[in-house]
Structures are given as structure tokens and as C-alpha cells.
Amino acid sequence: MAQPLIQAEVALLLKGKKSVFNLEIALTIEPGELLVVTGESGSGKTTLLRVLAGLEKKARGCIFSGTSIWQDSSKKIFVPPQKRKVGLVFQQYALFPNMTVRENLLYALPKGGSKKIITELMEVKGLTELADNYPPQLSGGQQQRVALARALIQKPSLLLLDEPLSALDFTMRSRLQTFLLDIHRQNQLTTVLVTHNEDEIRQLANRVICLKDGKISAEGIPNALFPIKQSTLKGLWMGMEKNRGKVKIGENEVSVSLLDHHFASPLLGEEVWIDFGAEGAFLQKNKGQ
């Protein structure tokens, strides 16, 4: 059996909105896993990422990465963030507004590192044409891709994502969920993603942990913790083909019938709701409203 990439048993005093409580978490992360962390605001999700990244020096306990010790407070061992090979992307992408896309990526390049990886990442992430643009000139989705590319420059063993899609609209969010999954698989990453979005959890996660007041309250596979409560899903309208509609749900395209052929088709890329039943999939006339 493969050795876990991360083994952590950590504690840290936190001040929540209504009380003071301890973050107390024992966690194992397997190589190649996409682990989602969810829970109410103020439950410790972002703090957990910061502890794993080495941004919380007051945290107590141990963190092992394979056979390496990142932290052992009993032995006063603490490996700083820059030596942990961790990529971190926050909800606010923290790009330098006075630097171009290329300059933002170059800034993250380790001293003595080859600039070839900058060119490769820009090509793979579709950023080549944006290389000389500044962050204020980019859309939210483009800024997110730059932030992810920057996090990958040091070829991290662990990628930490703190609600990176929450500020985006539904259409862009759906597209970038697929983009995130592709990055995770193509780069053979181990990823920890913080999100509240249940659709995102079901589409992306191998495993989910739920936090409450700094502790793991539930753990399991997405469909067990977040089952679909009704036979209705939302997706993106992709147009008509041979008298049937096409809707993209997650990574899949679904063929649907229109219950009422007299109402106008949705706009391309518009959010729609689909009813699934024994007789097939049907576009809701009221689109879930």
C-alpha cells in the first residue's frame, strides 16, 4: 500500500464569530487524491490550509509529507512555506496588479529555475495571448487561470485551493470546475479544495471532510455525504440537435426532451434545470424558478 502523501495531527486556538475554539484535526491525504474540505463559515477550513502550507507558526502537532517532517512542535521542527513544495490559491487571487501575466509568473519562479516552465504553463493554460496583459485587464476566469499557473510553477507536491471559484458566475464556474479537474489529473497532483458548493463537491472530490467548530464532523465519498435529494439537476444549455436539446452537466453532455415545444429554447450557455425520470430527461419549462 502506498504511503500517504500527508499525515497531520494539528491543533490551534481559533476565534470564531461567536466563540473561541480549538482546531483539532487528524488527517491523512493519499497521493493523487482530490480532497474537498467543507463546512460552515468560521469552522476552520481556511486555517487548515494555512497550517498545511506552513503559514500558521503557532499551530501545535505534527505534519509529515511522505518520510519528510514538515512540522513537529514537540521537537521544535518547523519547515517554512517556501520549502514545503505547496501551491496555494486563495479566493482572492493576489496577483500583482502592476505586473503583466508573464511577470507575475516569473516572480514565482524559484531562483535559478528555468524560464521554460513559464512558456509551457502559458501554452497549456491558454495564457500565451494574455502574456503582456495586466490583471485588471483580465476576466475573473482568466485571473484564476493565472493564479493556478503561478501555483504550479514550483511543481508542488500538494495544491491547496481556498474557494477559488466562488466569485465567478455560474457559467464560468462550471467551465473552470472542468479546468480544475484537468489540471489535477494532467499534473498528477494531490489537491485539497475548500468549497461550499455541493455540485462542485460531487463533480470534483474523491473524498470529503466536513468541519464544524474546528473538528471533523463527517467524512466520506461525495454521494454519501451529499446525495442528490431529487431527480433534478442544473446544467448549461448547449443548443438543439435533431429536435432534442443538449445540456452540459459537469463533464457530461445530456440529451433532453422539451416538454412543451412551443416555448423558446434557452440562450446558449444559459443555466437550465433538467428533470430525470423513468421516461428520460426533460427540460423544465420554468427552468427551476
Side-chain angles (χ1 to χ4, degrees), residues 69-259:
I69 303 175
W70 279 359
Q71 181 173 333
D72 187 339
S73 57
S74 67
K75 298 179 180 178
K76 296 184 179 180
I77 296 173
F78 185 86
V79 175
Q82 63 271 23
K83 294 186 178 180
R84 293 195 182 195
K85 292 200 70 176
V86 170
L88 182 59
V89 178
F90 288 108
Q91 181 179 344
Q92 302 300 324
Y93 308 130
L95 301 175
F96 296 109
N98 60 330
M99 293 184 181
T100 65
V101 168
R102 188 189 305 277
E103 289 168 343
N104 265 280
L105 299 182
L106 283 170
Y107 186 84
L109 188 68
K111 187 176 181 180
S114 171
K115 295 181 181 180
K116 182 180 178 182
I117 191 172
I118 304 293
T119 302
E120 292 175 348
L121 281 170
M122 286 197 297
E123 289 176 355
V124 172
K125 309 310 176 196
L127 299 171
T128 303
E129 294 181 358
L130 303 173
D132 296 323
N133 288 30
Y134 292 87
Q137 299 173 309
L138 306 179
S139 69
Q142 289 168 338
Q143 289 186 51
Q144 191 255 22
R145 279 157 44 201
V146 176
L148 282 167
R150 186 179 61 181
L152 295 175
I153 284 176
Q154 298 189 44
K155 298 182 179 180
S157 59
L158 182 65
L159 180 63
L160 305 175
L161 306 174
D162 189 9
E163 299 193 71
L165 309 183
S166 62
L168 304 177
D169 62 40
F170 176 83
T171 301
M172 183 58 69
R173 184 170 190 151
S174 296
R175 291 173 182 169
L176 290 177
Q177 285 172 4
T178 302
F179 180 74
L180 271 181
L181 195 58
D182 288 343
I183 283 179
H184 172 78
R185 290 171 176 170
Q186 291 169 5
N187 293 275
Q188 298 180 320
L189 294 170
T190 302
T191 304
V192 181
L193 168 68
V194 167
T195 182
H196 292 94
N197 187 284
E198 291 190 14
D199 290 337
E200 205 159 278
I201 292 170
R202 282 190 288 265
Q203 181 179 346
L204 299 178
N206 300 125
R207 181 166 58 103
V208 186
I209 61 171
C210 302
L211 298 191
K212 184 175 182 180
D213 296 332
K215 298 175 178 61
I216 296 177
S217 60
E219 181 176 355
I221 60 174
N223 289 338
L225 295 183
F226 298 95
I228 298 172
K229 298 176 183 178
Q230 55 185 354
S231 58
T232 302
L233 288 177
K234 60 185 175 182
L236 298 180
W237 181 253
M238 305 299 289
M240 297 291 296
E241 185 177 84
K242 296 181 180 179
N243 299 320
R244 290 179 66 83
K246 292 193 302 178
V247 176
K248 187 172 184 181
I249 301 175
E251 294 184 90
N252 303 309
E253 283 193 4
V254 177
S255 178
V256 302
S257 297
L258 278 64
L259 287 174

Side-chain angles (χ1 to χ4, degrees), residues 51-80:
V51 169
L52 292 173
L55 298 174
E56 293 287 351
K57 291 186 177 182
K58 294 182 179 179
R60 307 181 306 279
C62 301
I63 302 176
F64 297 90
S65 176
T67 57
S68 300
I69 303 175
W70 279 359
Q71 181 173 333
D72 187 339
S73 57
S74 67
K75 298 179 180 178
K76 296 184 179 180
I77 296 173
F78 185 86
V79 175

Side-chain angles (χ1 to χ4, degrees), residues 250-278:
E251 294 184 90
N252 303 309
E253 283 193 4
V254 177
S255 178
V256 302
S257 297
L258 278 64
L259 287 174
D260 184 346
H261 293 280
H262 298 290
F263 78 87
S265 296
L267 298 175
L268 191 66
E270 182 179 350
E271 178 182 336
V272 295
W273 290 79
I274 307 302
D275 280 333
F276 290 88

